[in-house]
């Protein structure tokens, strides 16, 4: 029996999915499948909690479920006492660039910093206040000393000391200025020096070092560790200028090496990327030989057998049964939200899925995202036409299916649905 979701959660889930967007809340009410992938990633989480580091790439076509799995993991690890930072790459947010794109990525990640008690982002002040309240004056020197052993840790510890003093002295202005510095919002060293006396700012060269400092600080504040989620790595693949693209891949490689060589602690990364953006030998991650040699599958890999301990996890399509269960969950959630008796039958769902996948003969681009959008639209139409069943709408032949996902020549790969 499907669990009953709070009304605001049900509304958020259906509104997001109907618009082709992954909801940030309520995924537990609709999640199906992906047990193997989630189990593999949760093993990484255990390693991070023990002081280690992890780095994974989630590979899947547009709409295949990368973002959905990222958000599912986000909610899982927050419940386990982690802080989570997440963002999508864009032309303005990369790992490095000539116009501060690396620093912009850091700023977005920290802006979205979330915890179990503050899951919608903006949790850095909560993190700092929790730390400042827990650390006594006698404990402070040893705590700061531990931070100073890392790269840029001396300046970071000075900022923390100023925040601790401001917190206990009710100095809101100083607290706000330190927050700005930790968020990477000062654009010049002069401005930072004038504001808090530190001649250092977050930039394209050092923003990863600041992430590692935040991970160590989070553990001092009582959290289990930090997970960083970056989606849309396809935006690196789209960079037209080869030297700039290679610079981003070099930065990515240095982060990957750092995590796997034990130089980072209490931090994990999950990156979302499409197959073409990973494998393309001209512009993809594999165009950078050092990344290709680390991420390419070994010669023992074969179709149908996935190594979920490898750095690259390729998302398999949802099975026929999983799609049926997903649609059943959506139908129950829709009926709950709009307060009507759910009468959608498994046979109607199977009929809908048959029609969805019959379109593959014309264009093999159908993804779970489009299946979900179409099914929610069917439910909306049936609800608004009193007495009309889903089967009646499908039999009428007038239903307009969602456009298939095709961006930059990337195609979704799904097997034909069988009833």
């Amino acid at each position: 029996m499907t669990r009953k979701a709070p009304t605001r959660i049900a509304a958020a889930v259906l509104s997001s999915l109907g618009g082709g967007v992954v909801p940030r809340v309520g995924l537990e009410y609709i999640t199906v499948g992906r047990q193997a992938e989630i189990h593999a990633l949760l093993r990484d989480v255990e390693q991070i909690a023990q002081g280690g580091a992890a780095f994974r790439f989630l590979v899947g076509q547009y709409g295949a479920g990368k973002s959905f799995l990222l958000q599912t993991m986000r909610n899982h690890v927050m419940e386990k006492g982690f802080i989570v930072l997440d963002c999508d790459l864009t032309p303005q947010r990369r790992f490095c660039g000539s116009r501060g794109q690396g620093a912009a990525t850091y700023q977005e990640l920290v802006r979205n910093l979330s915890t179990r008690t503050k899951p919608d982002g903006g949790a850095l002040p909560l993190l700092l206040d929790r730390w400042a309240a827990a650390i006594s004056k006698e404990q402070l020197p040893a705590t700061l000393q531990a931070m100073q052993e890392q790269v840029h840790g001396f300046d970071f510890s000075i900022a923390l000391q100023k925040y601790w003093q401001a917190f206990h002295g009710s100095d809101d202005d100083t607290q706000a200025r330190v927050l700005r510095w930790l968020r990477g919002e000062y654009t010049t060293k002069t401005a930072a020096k004038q504001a808090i006396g530190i001649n250092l700012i977050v930039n394209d060269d050092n923003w990863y070092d600041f992430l590692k400092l935040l991970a160590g600080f989070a553990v001092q504040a009582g959290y289990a560790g930090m997970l960083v989620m970056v989606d849309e790595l396809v935006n690196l693949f789209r960079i037209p200028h080869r030297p700039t693209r290679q610079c981003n891949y070099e930065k990515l490689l240095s982060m990957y090496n750092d995590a796997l060589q034990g130089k980072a602690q209490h931090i994990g990364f999950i990156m979302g990327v499409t197959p073409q953006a990973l494998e393309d030998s001209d512009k993809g991650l594999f165009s950078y030989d050092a990344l290709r040699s680390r991420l390419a599958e070994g010669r023992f890999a074969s179709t149908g057998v996935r190594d979920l301990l490898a750095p690259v996890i390729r998302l398999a399509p949802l099975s026929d049964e999983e799609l049926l269960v997903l649609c059943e969950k959506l139908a129950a959630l829709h009926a709950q939200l709009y307060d009507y008796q759910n009468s959608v039958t498994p046979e109607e769902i199977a009929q809908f899925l048959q029609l969805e996948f019959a379109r593959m003969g014309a264009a093999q681009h159908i993804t779970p995202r489009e299946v979900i959008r179409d099914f929610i639209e069917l439910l909306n139409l049936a609800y608004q036409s009193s007495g009309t069943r889903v089967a009646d709408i499908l039999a009428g032949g007038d239903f307009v299916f969602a456009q298939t996902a095709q961006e930059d020549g990337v195609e979704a790969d799904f097997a034909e649905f069988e009833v």
Side-chain angles (χ1 to χ4, degrees):
M1 182 177 179
T2 302
R3 287 189 298 157
K4 188 173 182 180
T7 299
R8 67 175 183 85
I9 299 296
V13 169
L14 291 173
S15 176
S16 297
L17 293 176
V21 178
V22 177
R24 290 177 75 89
V25 295
L27 294 178
E28 64 272 21
Y29 296 100
I30 56 171
T31 298
V32 298
R34 306 298 185 211
Q35 286 89 351
E37 293 92 341
I38 291 174
H39 179 71
L41 293 172
L42 287 178
R43 286 177 62 92
D44 291 350
V45 170
E46 294 175 2
Q47 179 178 326
I48 297 164
Q50 294 171 7
F55 209 111
R56 296 279 197 152
F57 294 86
L58 285 183
V59 182
Q61 303 286 7
Y62 293 101
K66 296 187 303 299
S67 300
F68 195 97
L69 183 53
L70 285 172
Q71 290 300 326
T72 299
M73 283 301 302
R74 177 180 179 273
N75 295 342
H76 266 298
V77 299
M78 284 193 296
E79 289 297 322
K80 290 180 173 290
F82 276 69
I83 66 169
V84 180
L85 287 68
D86 68 293
C87 80
D88 292 346
L89 295 188
T90 69
Q92 293 74 41
R93 292 196 295 267
R94 299 170 179 169
F95 295 136
C96 63
S98 59
R99 297 187 301 276
Q101 288 99 326
T105 297
Y106 172 87
Q107 291 164 7
E108 183 69 9
L109 286 169
V110 176
R111 187 178 300 116
N112 294 332
L113 193 157
S114 301
T115 66
R116 182 179 62 83
T117 56
K118 195 170 177 56
D120 296 324
L124 183 57
L126 173 67
L127 194 69
L128 288 161
D129 289 351
R130 176 173 173 172
W131 171 81
I135 299 296
S136 68
K137 185 176 181 179
E138 291 72 26
Q139 294 172 314
L140 186 61
T143 301
L144 297 178
Q145 179 65 36
M147 302 297 299
Q148 292 173 7
E149 297 174 359
Q150 301 183 54
V151 177
H152 302 306
F154 182 77
D155 293 298
F156 195 86
S157 67
I158 291 176
L160 291 182
Q161 182 178 21
K162 289 180 179 293
Y163 192 92
W164 186 92
Q165 292 169 341
F167 175 84
H168 288 279
S170 300
D171 183 353
D172 294 340
D173 182 61
T174 298
Q175 286 180 262
R177 285 186 273 118
V178 173
L179 268 172
R180 284 196 61 194
W181 186 80
L182 290 170
R183 288 171 175 155
E185 295 175 359
Y186 289 111
T187 57
T188 67
K189 293 181 180 179
T190 300
K193 183 73 171 179
Q194 292 175 345
I196 58 173
I198 297 177
N199 192 33
L200 175 72
I201 59 172
V202 175
N203 56 39
D204 278 13
D205 294 327
N206 64 22
W207 66 269
Y208 170 63
D209 296 321
F210 273 82
L211 282 185
K212 290 193 291 182
L213 288 164
L214 279 176
F217 172 66
V219 174
Q220 286 194 5
Y223 293 89
M226 185 169 89
L227 191 62
V228 181
M229 300 181 172
V230 181
D231 204 357
E232 302 295 346
L233 259 67
V234 68
N235 281 288
L236 304 183
F237 167 78
R238 290 170 174 164
I239 297 174
H241 192 231
R242 181 178 177 83
T244 303
R245 194 170 57 246
Q246 294 292 298
C247 176
N248 276 269
Y249 291 159
E250 183 176 357
K251 183 71 172 182
L252 179 60
L253 174 66
S254 69
M255 294 162 58
Y256 175 88
N257 287 341
D258 199 68
L260 269 63
Q261 290 174 351
K263 296 178 182 178
Q265 295 181 329
H266 293 291
I267 188 170
F269 293 87
I270 306 179
M271 306 272 176
V273 62
T274 62
Q276 186 181 18
L278 174 73
E279 299 166 352
D280 187 277
S281 59
D282 292 327
K283 298 191 300 180
L285 269 64
F286 282 9
S287 68
Y288 196 78
D289 287 342
L291 282 173
R292 178 184 54 77
S293 66
R294 287 161 172 78
L295 304 181
E297 292 178 332
R299 61 190 179 92
F300 296 107
S302 62
T303 302
V305 179
R306 294 186 297 158
D307 180 6
L308 295 178
L309 299 179
V312 173
I313 297 179
R314 297 177 183 271
L315 295 186
L318 292 179
S319 69
D320 302 346
E321 292 77 13
E322 288 167 345
L323 286 171
L324 279 167
V325 172
L326 174 59
C327 289
E328 288 175 346
K329 288 176 177 285
L330 290 172
L333 200 63
H334 194 277
Q336 177 199 321
L337 177 61
Y338 294 106
D339 194 23
Y340 65 88
Q341 184 65 39
N342 178 23
S343 61
V344 179
T345 66
E347 291 74 21
E348 287 177 315
I349 296 175
Q351 179 187 1
F352 159 74
L353 290 171
Q354 281 181 314
L355 290 173
E356 280 280 349
F357 284 90
R359 295 189 291 147
M360 291 183 67
Q364 298 184 9
H365 307 299
I366 296 176
T367 66
R369 178 185 297 162
E370 293 148 358
V371 171
I372 291 170
R373 289 179 60 193
D374 282 340
F375 190 65
I376 290 176
E377 184 176 359
L378 269 179
L379 296 174
N380 289 341
L381 292 173
Y383 168 67
Q384 294 173 83
S385 303
S386 181
T388 302
R389 298 193 61 84
V390 165
D392 298 331
I393 298 174
L394 293 173
D398 296 326
F399 182 73
V400 179
F401 291 94
Q403 292 184 347
T404 54
Q406 183 178 14
E407 298 184 48
D408 295 332
V410 181
E411 300 180 357
D413 180 19
F414 270 81
E416 182 177 357
F417 184 84
E418 297 178 358
V419 178

